[in-house]
Amino acid sequence: MRRRGPRRLQAALATLALAAATGLVLSMPEASAAAGGATGYASQNGGTTGGAGGRTVRATTGTAIHEALCGRASSSTPIVIEVEGTINHGNTAKASGGSCNTAAGVIELKQISNVTLVGVGGGAVFDQVGIHIRESSNIIIQNVTVRNVKKSGSPTSNGGDAIGMEKDVRNVWVDHTTLVASGGESEGFDGLFDMKNNTQYVTLSYSVLRNSGRGGLVGSSESDLSNGFVTYHHNLYENIDSRAPLLRGGTAHMFNNHYRNLSKSGINSRAGARAKVDNNYFEDSKDVLGTFYTDAVGYWQVSGNVFDNVTWSGLGPDNRPAGPDPKSTTTVSVPYSHALDPASCVPDVVARTAGAGTGLRVSDGTCTPRTPDPTGPGPGPGDPGPDPTRPGGTNLSIGADADGSSKASGTSYGNVRDGDMGTHWSPNGSTGSVSVKWSAARTVSKINIRESSDAVGRIGSWRVLNADTGAVLATGSKAGVITFPPVSLRKVTFEITGASGTPKIAEYETYAG
Protein backbone atom coordinates (compact mmCIF):
# COMPACT_ATOMS: atom_id res chain seq x y z
CA MET A 1 0.00 0.00 0.00
CA ARG A 2 1.37 3.42 -0.98
CA ARG A 3 2.11 5.70 1.97
CA ARG A 4 0.82 9.26 1.93
CA GLY A 5 3.43 11.98 2.37
CA PRO A 6 3.24 14.65 5.10
CA ARG A 7 1.97 17.35 2.73
CA ARG A 8 -0.94 15.21 1.59
CA LEU A 9 -1.74 14.26 5.20
CA GLN A 10 -1.80 17.92 6.21
CA ALA A 11 -4.15 18.71 3.33
CA ALA A 12 -6.45 15.88 4.38
CA LEU A 13 -6.56 17.09 7.98
CA ALA A 14 -7.37 20.62 6.82
CA THR A 15 -10.19 19.30 4.68
CA LEU A 16 -11.62 17.35 7.61
CA ALA A 17 -11.53 20.42 9.82
CA LEU A 18 -13.44 22.38 7.21
CA ALA A 19 -16.05 19.73 6.56
CA ALA A 20 -18.33 20.40 9.50
CA ALA A 21 -18.64 24.07 8.62
CA THR A 22 -19.32 23.63 4.92
CA GLY A 23 -21.52 20.52 4.68
CA LEU A 24 -18.85 18.22 3.28
CA VAL A 25 -18.85 14.59 4.39
CA LEU A 26 -15.99 12.32 3.42
CA SER A 27 -16.95 8.78 2.49
CA MET A 28 -14.34 6.38 3.80
CA PRO A 29 -12.80 4.19 2.67
CA GLU A 30 -12.21 5.61 -0.79
CA ALA A 31 -14.76 4.45 -3.35
CA SER A 32 -14.97 4.43 -7.12
CA ALA A 33 -17.84 4.81 -9.54
CA ALA A 34 -18.60 2.30 -12.26
CA ALA A 35 -16.79 2.91 -15.54
CA GLY A 36 -18.44 3.55 -18.90
CA GLY A 37 -22.11 4.20 -19.44
CA ALA A 38 -22.44 7.23 -21.71
CA THR A 39 -24.06 6.72 -25.11
CA GLY A 40 -23.48 9.12 -27.97
CA TYR A 41 -20.74 11.61 -28.58
CA ALA A 42 -19.69 11.69 -24.91
CA SER A 43 -18.48 8.12 -25.46
CA GLN A 44 -16.02 9.32 -28.13
CA ASN A 45 -12.74 11.26 -27.90
CA GLY A 46 -11.48 8.87 -25.22
CA GLY A 47 -14.85 8.53 -23.45
CA THR A 48 -16.42 10.23 -20.45
CA THR A 49 -15.84 8.55 -17.08
CA GLY A 50 -16.01 11.52 -14.72
CA GLY A 51 -14.57 10.82 -11.29
CA ALA A 52 -14.43 7.03 -11.65
CA GLY A 53 -11.67 5.56 -9.51
CA GLY A 54 -11.43 8.59 -7.26
CA ARG A 55 -12.56 9.33 -3.72
CA THR A 56 -16.30 9.71 -3.04
CA VAL A 57 -17.48 12.56 -0.81
CA ARG A 58 -20.95 13.72 0.24
CA ALA A 59 -21.90 17.42 -0.01
CA THR A 60 -25.04 19.11 1.31
CA THR A 61 -24.14 22.70 0.39
CA GLY A 62 -22.72 24.46 -2.63
CA THR A 63 -19.74 25.52 -0.54
CA ALA A 64 -19.07 21.85 0.22
CA ILE A 65 -19.04 21.05 -3.50
CA HIS A 66 -16.42 23.74 -4.05
CA GLU A 67 -14.41 22.58 -1.03
CA ALA A 68 -14.41 19.02 -2.38
CA LEU A 69 -12.93 20.27 -5.65
CA CYS A 70 -10.37 22.41 -3.82
CA GLY A 71 -9.36 19.57 -1.52
CA ARG A 72 -8.01 17.37 -4.31
CA ALA A 73 -4.31 16.80 -4.85
CA SER A 74 -4.58 18.41 -8.30
CA SER A 75 -7.19 19.83 -10.67
CA SER A 76 -7.33 16.48 -12.48
CA THR A 77 -7.51 14.13 -9.47
CA PRO A 78 -10.69 12.03 -9.97
CA ILE A 79 -13.53 12.66 -7.52
CA VAL A 80 -17.19 11.65 -7.15
CA ILE A 81 -19.23 14.28 -5.30
CA GLU A 82 -22.55 12.95 -4.01
CA VAL A 83 -25.00 15.80 -3.51
CA GLU A 84 -28.02 15.71 -1.22
CA GLY A 85 -30.40 18.49 -0.23
CA THR A 86 -30.97 21.97 -1.62
CA ILE A 87 -28.08 24.01 -2.99
CA ASN A 88 -28.86 27.74 -3.00
CA HIS A 89 -27.19 31.16 -2.89
CA GLY A 90 -27.15 31.14 0.88
CA ASN A 91 -24.94 28.04 1.06
CA THR A 92 -22.82 28.45 -2.08
CA ALA A 93 -19.65 30.42 -1.36
CA LYS A 94 -16.33 30.70 -3.16
CA ALA A 95 -13.59 28.31 -2.06
CA SER A 96 -9.88 28.55 -2.82
CA GLY A 97 -7.12 26.10 -3.56
CA GLY A 98 -4.63 24.98 -6.16
CA SER A 99 -7.02 22.42 -7.66
CA CYS A 100 -10.08 24.68 -8.15
CA ASN A 101 -11.26 28.03 -9.45
CA THR A 102 -14.66 28.75 -7.89
CA ALA A 103 -17.05 31.65 -7.35
CA ALA A 104 -19.95 32.45 -5.06
CA GLY A 105 -23.54 31.94 -6.21
CA VAL A 106 -22.75 29.41 -8.95
CA ILE A 107 -21.38 25.86 -9.03
CA GLU A 108 -18.11 26.47 -10.80
CA LEU A 109 -16.47 23.55 -12.64
CA LYS A 110 -13.68 25.63 -14.12
CA GLN A 111 -10.24 24.54 -15.35
CA ILE A 112 -10.70 21.04 -13.90
CA SER A 113 -11.24 17.47 -15.10
CA ASN A 114 -12.37 14.02 -13.97
CA VAL A 115 -15.37 14.98 -11.82
CA THR A 116 -18.76 13.35 -11.21
CA LEU A 117 -21.56 15.35 -9.58
CA VAL A 118 -24.45 13.03 -8.68
CA GLY A 119 -27.63 13.46 -6.66
CA VAL A 120 -28.28 10.86 -3.97
CA GLY A 121 -30.55 10.14 -1.00
CA GLY A 122 -33.62 12.35 -0.83
CA GLY A 123 -32.57 14.25 -3.95
CA ALA A 124 -30.34 17.14 -5.00
CA VAL A 125 -31.90 20.46 -6.01
CA PHE A 126 -29.91 23.43 -7.28
CA ASP A 127 -32.35 26.22 -6.50
CA GLN A 128 -31.63 29.37 -8.56
CA VAL A 129 -27.99 28.28 -8.72
CA GLY A 130 -26.63 27.27 -12.12
CA ILE A 131 -23.81 24.87 -13.00
CA HIS A 132 -21.01 26.46 -15.03
CA ILE A 133 -18.49 24.29 -16.90
CA ARG A 134 -15.55 26.20 -18.38
CA GLU A 135 -12.17 25.05 -19.73
CA SER A 136 -12.85 21.58 -18.33
CA SER A 137 -13.09 17.98 -19.49
CA ASN A 138 -14.43 14.57 -18.48
CA ILE A 139 -17.37 15.81 -16.40
CA ILE A 140 -20.52 13.87 -15.43
CA ILE A 141 -23.63 15.47 -13.95
CA GLN A 142 -26.33 13.00 -12.98
CA ASN A 143 -29.61 12.74 -11.06
CA VAL A 144 -29.96 16.41 -10.09
CA THR A 145 -32.60 19.13 -10.50
CA VAL A 146 -31.60 22.65 -11.50
CA ARG A 147 -34.42 25.17 -11.33
CA ASN A 148 -35.17 28.85 -11.88
CA VAL A 149 -31.69 30.14 -12.69
CA LYS A 150 -31.86 33.84 -13.64
CA LYS A 151 -29.72 36.19 -15.71
CA SER A 152 -31.63 39.29 -14.58
CA GLY A 153 -33.58 40.22 -11.49
CA SER A 154 -32.48 38.68 -8.22
CA PRO A 155 -30.68 36.49 -7.52
CA THR A 156 -28.73 35.87 -10.73
CA SER A 157 -26.44 32.93 -11.51
CA ASN A 158 -24.52 31.51 -14.47
CA GLY A 159 -25.89 34.01 -16.98
CA GLY A 160 -29.33 32.51 -16.56
CA ASP A 161 -28.37 29.03 -17.79
CA ALA A 162 -29.29 25.97 -15.75
CA ILE A 163 -26.23 24.16 -17.14
CA GLY A 164 -23.84 26.17 -19.30
CA MET A 165 -20.61 25.11 -21.00
CA GLU A 166 -18.12 27.46 -22.62
CA LYS A 167 -14.51 27.80 -23.76
CA ASP A 168 -12.60 24.63 -24.57
CA VAL A 169 -14.91 22.10 -22.93
CA ARG A 170 -14.59 18.42 -23.84
CA ASN A 171 -16.47 15.24 -22.89
CA VAL A 172 -19.45 16.10 -20.72
CA TRP A 173 -22.26 13.66 -19.95
CA VAL A 174 -25.42 15.09 -18.38
CA ASP A 175 -27.84 12.32 -17.46
CA HIS A 176 -31.17 11.93 -15.64
CA THR A 177 -31.45 15.60 -14.78
CA THR A 178 -34.46 17.90 -14.47
CA LEU A 179 -33.82 21.39 -15.82
CA VAL A 180 -36.71 23.81 -15.31
CA ALA A 181 -37.45 27.53 -15.42
CA SER A 182 -40.58 29.59 -14.84
CA GLY A 183 -40.70 31.62 -18.04
CA GLY A 184 -38.64 33.27 -20.73
CA GLU A 185 -36.18 36.11 -21.14
CA SER A 186 -38.70 38.76 -20.05
CA GLU A 187 -39.00 36.94 -16.71
CA GLY A 188 -35.21 36.87 -16.27
CA PHE A 189 -34.38 33.37 -17.54
CA ASP A 190 -32.12 32.21 -20.38
CA GLY A 191 -31.22 28.71 -21.63
CA LEU A 192 -31.53 25.41 -19.85
CA PHE A 193 -28.60 23.68 -21.59
CA ASP A 194 -26.13 25.86 -23.49
CA MET A 195 -22.81 25.14 -25.22
CA LYS A 196 -20.50 27.74 -26.77
CA ASN A 197 -16.92 28.73 -27.59
CA ASN A 198 -15.40 25.38 -28.53
CA THR A 199 -17.49 22.84 -26.58
CA GLN A 200 -17.44 19.33 -28.04
CA TYR A 201 -18.30 15.68 -27.29
CA VAL A 202 -21.37 16.11 -25.13
CA THR A 203 -24.34 13.84 -24.39
CA LEU A 204 -27.62 14.91 -22.77
CA SER A 205 -29.66 11.83 -21.90
CA TYR A 206 -32.81 10.88 -19.97
CA SER A 207 -33.44 14.46 -18.87
CA VAL A 208 -36.43 16.79 -18.57
CA LEU A 209 -36.26 20.34 -19.92
CA ARG A 210 -39.42 22.23 -19.05
CA ASN A 211 -41.19 25.60 -18.80
CA SER A 212 -38.59 27.81 -20.43
CA GLY A 213 -38.43 30.28 -23.28
CA ARG A 214 -35.20 28.67 -24.45
CA GLY A 215 -34.30 25.00 -24.29
CA GLY A 216 -30.64 25.41 -25.21
CA LEU A 217 -28.13 26.23 -27.91
CA VAL A 218 -24.91 25.06 -29.55
CA GLY A 219 -23.00 28.18 -30.53
CA SER A 220 -23.55 31.67 -29.13
CA SER A 221 -23.63 33.37 -32.55
CA GLU A 222 -23.31 32.49 -36.21
CA SER A 223 -19.58 33.18 -35.98
CA ASP A 224 -19.21 30.73 -33.06
CA LEU A 225 -18.94 27.56 -35.14
CA SER A 226 -16.36 25.63 -33.10
CA ASN A 227 -18.92 23.58 -31.17
CA GLY A 228 -20.53 20.27 -31.96
CA PHE A 229 -20.60 16.51 -31.67
CA VAL A 230 -23.57 16.55 -29.33
CA THR A 231 -26.07 13.74 -28.69
CA TYR A 232 -29.54 14.27 -27.23
CA HIS A 233 -31.49 11.10 -26.45
CA HIS A 234 -34.51 10.07 -24.36
CA ASN A 235 -35.16 13.62 -23.18
CA LEU A 236 -38.47 15.43 -22.66
CA TYR A 237 -38.73 18.99 -23.98
CA GLU A 238 -42.02 20.36 -22.64
CA ASN A 239 -43.54 23.85 -22.65
CA ILE A 240 -40.55 25.40 -24.43
CA ASP A 241 -40.82 28.39 -26.76
CA SER A 242 -37.79 27.62 -28.95
CA ARG A 243 -34.19 26.30 -29.08
CA ALA A 244 -34.85 22.61 -28.62
CA PRO A 245 -32.00 23.03 -29.44
CA LEU A 246 -30.65 25.86 -31.62
CA LEU A 247 -27.63 24.59 -33.59
CA ARG A 248 -25.07 26.93 -35.13
CA GLY A 249 -22.64 24.80 -37.08
CA GLY A 250 -21.39 21.42 -35.92
CA THR A 251 -23.05 18.01 -35.83
CA ALA A 252 -25.81 16.86 -33.47
CA HIS A 253 -27.77 13.65 -33.10
CA MET A 254 -31.27 13.61 -31.65
CA PHE A 255 -32.97 10.27 -31.07
CA ASN A 256 -35.88 9.01 -28.99
CA ASN A 257 -36.74 12.42 -27.56
CA HIS A 258 -40.29 13.54 -26.76
CA TYR A 259 -41.05 17.13 -27.77
CA ARG A 260 -44.33 18.50 -26.45
CA ASN A 261 -45.82 22.01 -26.55
CA LEU A 262 -43.03 23.81 -28.42
CA SER A 263 -44.76 27.10 -29.13
CA LYS A 264 -42.41 28.79 -31.65
CA SER A 265 -39.81 26.34 -32.98
CA GLY A 266 -37.90 23.21 -32.04
CA ILE A 267 -34.70 21.88 -33.59
CA ASN A 268 -33.32 24.97 -35.32
CA SER A 269 -30.44 23.89 -37.56
CA ARG A 270 -28.64 26.91 -39.02
CA ALA A 271 -25.26 28.25 -40.13
CA GLY A 272 -24.28 24.95 -41.72
CA ALA A 273 -25.22 22.72 -38.78
CA ARG A 274 -26.06 19.10 -39.53
CA ALA A 275 -28.69 17.33 -37.41
CA LYS A 276 -29.45 13.62 -37.44
CA VAL A 277 -33.05 13.31 -36.22
CA ASP A 278 -34.14 9.71 -35.55
CA ASN A 279 -37.25 8.14 -33.97
CA ASN A 280 -38.40 11.19 -32.03
CA TYR A 281 -42.00 12.01 -31.09
CA PHE A 282 -43.13 15.58 -31.79
CA GLU A 283 -46.49 16.50 -30.28
CA ASP A 284 -48.77 19.57 -30.12
CA SER A 285 -46.01 21.85 -31.40
CA LYS A 286 -45.04 24.30 -34.13
CA ASP A 287 -42.10 24.26 -36.56
CA VAL A 288 -40.31 21.44 -34.78
CA LEU A 289 -37.50 21.19 -37.34
CA GLY A 290 -35.92 23.55 -39.84
CA THR A 291 -33.93 26.78 -40.17
CA PHE A 292 -35.60 29.70 -38.43
CA TYR A 293 -34.94 33.43 -37.88
CA THR A 294 -31.95 33.54 -40.27
CA ASP A 295 -30.96 33.12 -43.90
CA ALA A 296 -27.91 31.05 -42.86
CA VAL A 297 -29.33 27.59 -43.54
CA GLY A 298 -28.60 24.34 -41.77
CA TYR A 299 -29.31 20.74 -42.73
CA TRP A 300 -30.95 17.61 -41.37
CA GLN A 301 -31.39 13.89 -41.90
CA VAL A 302 -34.74 12.51 -40.73
CA SER A 303 -35.84 8.94 -40.08
CA GLY A 304 -38.61 7.21 -38.11
CA ASN A 305 -40.08 10.32 -36.45
CA VAL A 306 -43.73 10.84 -35.46
CA PHE A 307 -45.31 14.26 -36.03
CA ASP A 308 -48.49 14.36 -33.93
CA ASN A 309 -50.51 17.58 -34.27
CA VAL A 310 -47.54 19.59 -35.52
CA THR A 311 -48.17 22.83 -37.42
CA TRP A 312 -45.79 24.45 -39.87
CA SER A 313 -45.31 28.05 -40.92
CA GLY A 314 -44.75 29.13 -44.52
CA LEU A 315 -41.44 29.34 -46.37
CA GLY A 316 -39.69 32.71 -46.24
CA PRO A 317 -36.21 34.25 -46.58
CA ASP A 318 -35.54 33.77 -42.84
CA ASN A 319 -37.82 30.79 -42.32
CA ARG A 320 -37.28 27.33 -43.83
CA PRO A 321 -39.41 24.77 -41.97
CA ALA A 322 -38.70 21.12 -42.73
CA GLY A 323 -42.45 20.32 -42.91
CA PRO A 324 -45.22 19.67 -43.49
CA ASP A 325 -43.55 16.63 -45.12
CA PRO A 326 -40.02 16.55 -43.64
CA LYS A 327 -37.35 15.22 -45.98
CA SER A 328 -33.62 14.79 -45.44
CA THR A 329 -31.36 17.51 -46.80
CA THR A 330 -28.05 15.87 -45.86
CA THR A 331 -26.56 12.59 -44.65
CA VAL A 332 -25.07 12.25 -41.17
CA SER A 333 -23.13 9.22 -39.91
CA VAL A 334 -22.41 8.71 -36.22
CA PRO A 335 -19.38 6.78 -34.92
CA TYR A 336 -21.09 5.01 -32.01
CA SER A 337 -23.63 2.22 -31.55
CA HIS A 338 -27.04 2.94 -30.02
CA ALA A 339 -30.36 1.13 -29.59
CA LEU A 340 -33.36 2.94 -31.08
CA ASP A 341 -36.81 2.63 -29.52
CA PRO A 342 -39.65 2.91 -32.05
CA ALA A 343 -40.97 6.47 -32.02
CA SER A 344 -44.49 5.29 -31.20
CA CYS A 345 -43.47 4.29 -27.66
CA VAL A 346 -41.17 7.23 -26.95
CA PRO A 347 -43.71 9.25 -24.89
CA ASP A 348 -44.22 6.31 -22.55
CA VAL A 349 -40.55 5.34 -22.32
CA VAL A 350 -39.40 8.91 -21.72
CA ALA A 351 -42.12 9.49 -19.10
CA ARG A 352 -40.85 6.47 -17.17
CA THR A 353 -37.12 7.12 -17.44
CA ALA A 354 -36.32 10.82 -17.89
CA GLY A 355 -35.49 13.27 -15.13
CA ALA A 356 -33.97 13.23 -11.67
CA GLY A 357 -35.39 10.82 -9.12
CA THR A 358 -36.51 8.18 -11.62
CA GLY A 359 -34.13 5.50 -10.40
CA LEU A 360 -31.66 6.05 -13.29
CA ARG A 361 -33.82 3.77 -15.41
CA VAL A 362 -32.84 3.42 -19.05
CA SER A 363 -34.36 1.97 -22.21
CA ASP A 364 -33.19 -1.23 -23.86
CA GLY A 365 -34.43 -0.35 -27.37
CA THR A 366 -37.58 -2.47 -27.07
CA CYS A 367 -39.82 0.10 -25.38
CA THR A 368 -39.07 -1.50 -21.99
CA PRO A 369 -37.47 0.66 -19.29
CA ARG A 370 -35.13 -1.20 -17.00
CA THR A 371 -33.15 -0.53 -13.86
CA PRO A 372 -29.47 -0.75 -14.76
CA ASP A 373 -27.34 -3.51 -13.32
CA PRO A 374 -24.81 -1.83 -10.98
CA THR A 375 -22.29 -4.59 -11.71
CA GLY A 376 -22.59 -4.32 -15.49
CA PRO A 377 -23.21 -1.76 -18.20
CA GLY A 378 -25.65 0.85 -17.01
CA PRO A 379 -25.93 4.56 -16.63
CA GLY A 380 -22.28 4.70 -15.71
CA PRO A 381 -20.20 6.82 -13.39
CA GLY A 382 -21.95 8.39 -10.47
CA ASP A 383 -24.72 5.80 -10.21
CA PRO A 384 -25.73 6.16 -6.56
CA GLY A 385 -27.10 2.62 -6.45
CA PRO A 386 -30.48 1.58 -5.08
CA ASP A 387 -32.12 3.80 -2.48
CA PRO A 388 -33.08 1.59 0.48
CA THR A 389 -36.05 3.88 1.26
CA ARG A 390 -37.64 3.19 -2.12
CA PRO A 391 -39.23 -0.01 -3.48
CA GLY A 392 -37.79 -1.72 -6.52
CA GLY A 393 -39.52 -1.73 -9.87
CA THR A 394 -41.13 0.98 -11.95
CA ASN A 395 -42.74 3.98 -10.30
CA LEU A 396 -46.13 3.99 -12.04
CA SER A 397 -46.81 7.57 -10.96
CA ILE A 398 -44.36 8.99 -13.50
CA GLY A 399 -46.47 9.92 -16.51
CA ALA A 400 -49.77 9.47 -14.61
CA ASP A 401 -52.18 12.22 -13.55
CA ALA A 402 -53.09 13.49 -10.08
CA ASP A 403 -55.84 15.33 -8.21
CA GLY A 404 -57.10 15.66 -4.66
CA SER A 405 -58.79 17.77 -2.04
CA SER A 406 -58.20 21.51 -1.68
CA LYS A 407 -54.51 22.31 -1.98
CA ALA A 408 -52.45 24.94 -0.23
CA SER A 409 -51.65 28.09 -2.15
CA GLY A 410 -48.65 27.73 -4.44
CA THR A 411 -48.65 23.93 -4.58
CA SER A 412 -49.81 21.51 -7.25
CA TYR A 413 -51.24 17.99 -7.34
CA GLY A 414 -48.86 17.18 -10.18
CA ASN A 415 -45.86 17.86 -7.95
CA VAL A 416 -46.31 14.45 -6.31
CA ARG A 417 -45.70 12.51 -9.51
CA ASP A 418 -43.04 14.57 -11.33
CA GLY A 419 -40.00 12.71 -9.97
CA ASP A 420 -38.73 15.92 -8.37
CA MET A 421 -38.14 15.95 -4.60
CA GLY A 422 -37.82 19.72 -4.78
CA THR A 423 -41.54 20.22 -5.47
CA HIS A 424 -44.46 19.21 -3.27
CA TRP A 425 -48.23 19.19 -2.67
CA SER A 426 -49.79 20.34 0.58
CA PRO A 427 -53.43 20.20 1.67
CA ASN A 428 -55.24 23.39 2.62
CA GLY A 429 -54.74 22.70 6.32
CA SER A 430 -53.31 19.74 8.20
CA THR A 431 -55.52 17.05 6.60
CA GLY A 432 -56.57 16.26 3.07
CA SER A 433 -56.09 13.77 0.25
CA VAL A 434 -54.13 13.43 -2.96
CA SER A 435 -54.66 10.81 -5.69
CA VAL A 436 -52.71 9.29 -8.55
CA LYS A 437 -54.80 8.16 -11.51
CA TRP A 438 -54.47 6.57 -14.94
CA SER A 439 -56.66 6.43 -18.04
CA ALA A 440 -56.67 2.62 -17.84
CA ALA A 441 -56.58 0.29 -14.84
CA ARG A 442 -53.22 -0.53 -13.25
CA THR A 443 -52.40 -3.22 -10.72
CA VAL A 444 -50.99 -1.60 -7.59
CA SER A 445 -49.84 -3.26 -4.36
CA LYS A 446 -47.43 -0.74 -2.89
CA ILE A 447 -47.10 3.02 -2.55
CA ASN A 448 -44.32 5.18 -1.18
CA ILE A 449 -45.15 8.54 0.39
CA ARG A 450 -42.03 10.73 0.47
CA GLU A 451 -42.19 13.92 2.50
CA SER A 452 -40.19 17.04 1.63
CA SER A 453 -36.92 17.27 3.51
CA ASP A 454 -38.16 20.20 5.61
CA ALA A 455 -41.39 18.42 6.60
CA VAL A 456 -40.30 14.87 7.46
CA GLY A 457 -42.44 13.39 10.24
CA ARG A 458 -45.40 15.75 9.95
CA ILE A 459 -47.77 13.15 8.52
CA GLY A 460 -49.51 11.27 11.30
CA SER A 461 -52.47 8.97 10.61
CA TRP A 462 -53.60 8.10 7.08
CA ARG A 463 -55.76 5.85 4.91
CA VAL A 464 -55.17 4.46 1.42
CA LEU A 465 -58.35 4.17 -0.67
CA ASN A 466 -59.35 2.50 -3.90
CA ALA A 467 -60.94 5.63 -5.35
CA ASP A 468 -62.84 3.55 -7.93
CA THR A 469 -64.84 1.75 -5.25
CA GLY A 470 -64.18 3.63 -2.00
CA ALA A 471 -62.66 0.53 -0.39
CA VAL A 472 -60.01 1.10 2.30
CA LEU A 473 -56.79 -0.65 1.23
CA ALA A 474 -54.62 0.21 4.25
CA THR A 475 -54.47 2.41 7.35
CA GLY A 476 -51.58 3.45 9.54
CA SER A 477 -49.33 6.29 10.66
CA LYS A 478 -46.17 8.01 9.37
CA ALA A 479 -45.13 8.36 5.74
CA GLY A 480 -43.08 5.75 3.93
CA VAL A 481 -43.64 2.49 2.07
CA ILE A 482 -47.19 1.11 2.38
CA THR A 483 -48.16 -2.34 1.10
CA PHE A 484 -51.55 -3.97 0.54
CA PRO A 485 -52.97 -6.89 -1.50
CA PRO A 486 -52.65 -6.31 -5.26
CA VAL A 487 -55.65 -4.46 -6.68
CA SER A 488 -56.56 -3.33 -10.19
CA LEU A 489 -57.74 0.27 -10.19
CA ARG A 490 -57.61 3.52 -12.10
CA LYS A 491 -57.22 5.84 -9.11
CA VAL A 492 -55.62 5.37 -5.71
CA THR A 493 -55.98 7.96 -2.94
CA PHE A 494 -53.73 8.75 0.00
CA GLU A 495 -55.81 10.48 2.68
CA ILE A 496 -54.09 12.26 5.59
CA THR A 497 -56.37 12.10 8.65
CA GLY A 498 -53.94 13.54 11.19
CA ALA A 499 -50.76 15.61 11.07
CA SER A 500 -48.52 17.90 13.09
CA GLY A 501 -48.46 21.05 10.98
CA THR A 502 -48.98 21.29 7.23
CA PRO A 503 -47.81 18.11 5.43
CA LYS A 504 -45.64 18.37 2.34
CA ILE A 505 -45.71 15.36 0.01
CA ALA A 506 -42.82 15.60 -2.46
CA GLU A 507 -43.50 12.28 -4.22
CA TYR A 508 -46.38 9.81 -4.19
CA GLU A 509 -44.90 6.72 -5.83
CA THR A 510 -46.97 3.71 -6.90
CA TYR A 511 -45.73 0.22 -7.67
CA ALA A 512 -47.16 -3.02 -9.01
CA GLY A 513 -45.27 -5.18 -6.57
Side-chain angles (χ1 to χ4, degrees):
M1 178 176 178
R2 185 177 62 189
R3 298 182 62 186
R4 302 177 187 267
R7 181 176 299 176
R8 188 167 182 184
L9 176 59
Q10 291 169 4
L13 291 172
T15 301
L16 285 168
L18 197 57
T22 61
L24 173 68
V25 178
L26 302 183
S27 298
M28 302 296 287
E30 294 184 358
S32 62
T39 295
Y41 278 113
S43 69
Q44 304 299 295
N45 191 43
T48 304
T49 57
R55 185 180 60 182
T56 297
V57 303
R58 180 74 61 96
T60 59
T61 67
T63 304
I65 294 173
H66 286 161
E67 292 293 351
L69 296 172
C70 295
R72 297 182 296 162
S74 74
S75 62
S76 61
T77 301
I79 189 170
V80 176
I81 304 175
E82 297 179 338
V83 184
E84 184 173 20
T86 299
I87 309 302
N88 55 38
H89 281 259
N91 64 31
T92 301
K94 174 183 173 66
S96 300
S99 59
C100 65
N101 188 345
T102 69
V106 59
I107 299 303
E108 195 75 272
L109 307 180
K110 184 177 180 180
Q111 298 168 342
I112 62 174
S113 61
N114 308 325
V115 173
T116 293
L117 201 65
V118 56
V120 297
V125 177
F126 294 79
D127 184 22
Q128 303 181 76
V129 171
I131 300 174
H132 183 210
I133 305 171
R134 182 181 177 94
E135 299 173 80
S136 295
S137 63
N138 195 24
I139 306 294
I140 293 173
I141 300 172
Q142 191 173 52
N143 199 39
V144 304
T145 294
V146 186
R147 67 187 185 198
N148 292 332
V149 181
K150 286 192 170 185
K151 69 173 183 177
S152 63
S154 179
T156 61
S157 178
N158 194 29
D161 296 337
I163 296 177
M165 292 157 270
E166 63 176 314
K167 193 177 181 183
D168 304 331
V169 174
R170 292 290 185 276
N171 290 86
V172 176
W173 179 31
V174 177
D175 177 65
H176 284 90
T177 63
T178 298
L179 311 178
V180 295
S182 298
E185 187 174 19
S186 62
E187 288 79 30
F189 305 100
D190 197 7
L192 296 176
F193 193 71
D194 280 11
M195 288 159 271
K196 48 195 171 185
N197 195 3
N198 196 23
T199 295
Q200 298 181 3
Y201 299 104
V202 176
T203 293
L204 175 66
S205 58
Y206 297 101
S207 291
V208 172
L209 297 87
R210 178 180 284 143
N211 299 341
S212 176
R214 297 169 172 176
L217 57 74
V218 180
S220 60
S221 69
E222 289 175 13
S223 62
D224 180 16
L225 304 179
S226 58
N227 310 280
F229 307 117
V230 183
T231 300
Y232 304 80
H233 73 90
H234 293 93
N235 303 299
L236 171 65
Y237 285 82
E238 183 176 43
N239 298 332
I240 303 289
D241 289 344
S242 61
R243 301 187 181 183
L246 164 60
L247 308 171
R248 292 178 169 119
T251 300
H253 185 197
M254 297 84 173
F255 69 90
N256 287 151
N257 301 292
H258 185 196
Y259 302 87
R260 184 165 61 194
N261 297 331
L262 308 182
S263 63
K264 295 180 179 178
S265 61
I267 301 170
N268 186 352
S269 179
R270 51 201 276 189
R274 299 163 66 245
K276 182 174 174 61
V277 185
D278 298 329
N279 290 34
N280 302 282
Y281 197 102
F282 301 93
E283 180 180 7
D284 298 337
S285 298
K286 178 184 177 182
D287 285 344
V288 297
L289 175 63
T291 295
F292 305 105
Y293 325 123
T294 182
D295 60 0
V297 299
Y299 309 95
W300 46 85
Q301 177 181 330
V302 293
S303 174
N305 302 288
V306 170
F307 300 91
D308 180 1
N309 192 31
V310 170
T311 60
W312 303 90
S313 59
L315 181 66
D318 295 333
N319 205 59
R320 291 174 171 80
D325 183 21
K327 302 291 186 184
S328 298
T329 61
T330 190
T331 300
V332 182
S333 298
V334 295
Y336 50 82
S337 60
H338 57 290
L340 281 171
D341 288 302
S344 59
C345 73
V346 162
D348 178 67
V349 168
V350 168
R352 296 164 65 187
T353 57
T358 55
L360 299 180
R361 281 185 292 275
V362 297
S363 173
D364 63 1
T366 63
C367 301
T368 306
R370 63 178 179 83
T371 299
D373 180 359
T375 63
D383 179 2
D387 183 343
T389 67
R390 301 178 65 185
T394 299
N395 174 15
L396 303 175
S397 298
I398 301 295
D401 203 352
D403 62 23
S405 62
S406 295
K407 61 182 182 292
S409 176
T411 69
S412 168
Y413 304 117
N415 287 344
V416 303
R417 45 84 180 168
D418 61 0
D420 182 357
M421 286 294 293
T423 63
H424 70 274
W425 166 86
S426 289
N428 185 16
S430 61
T431 61
S433 63
V434 63
S435 304
V436 173
K437 59 184 180 179
W438 302 269
S439 58
R442 300 291 181 99
T443 298
V444 178
S445 65
K446 188 177 297 184
I447 68 173
N448 188 19
I449 302 299
R450 306 178 70 191
E451 295 175 283
S452 295
S453 59
D454 61 344
V456 172
R458 290 186 188 175
I459 293 176
S461 57
W462 48 258
R463 301 193 305 167
V464 179
L465 307 174
N466 178 341
D468 297 351
T469 64
V472 176
L473 303 176
T475 61
S477 62
K478 297 184 180 180
V481 178
I482 302 166
T483 60
F484 43 84
V487 58
S488 178
L489 43 70
R490 294 200 303 173
K491 182 175 178 180
V492 57
T493 297
F494 181 74
E495 181 183 15
I496 302 168
T497 57
S500 58
T502 301
K504 294 182 179 181
I505 297 181
E507 289 299 297
Y508 177 176
E509 301 173 351
T510 53
Y511 296 89

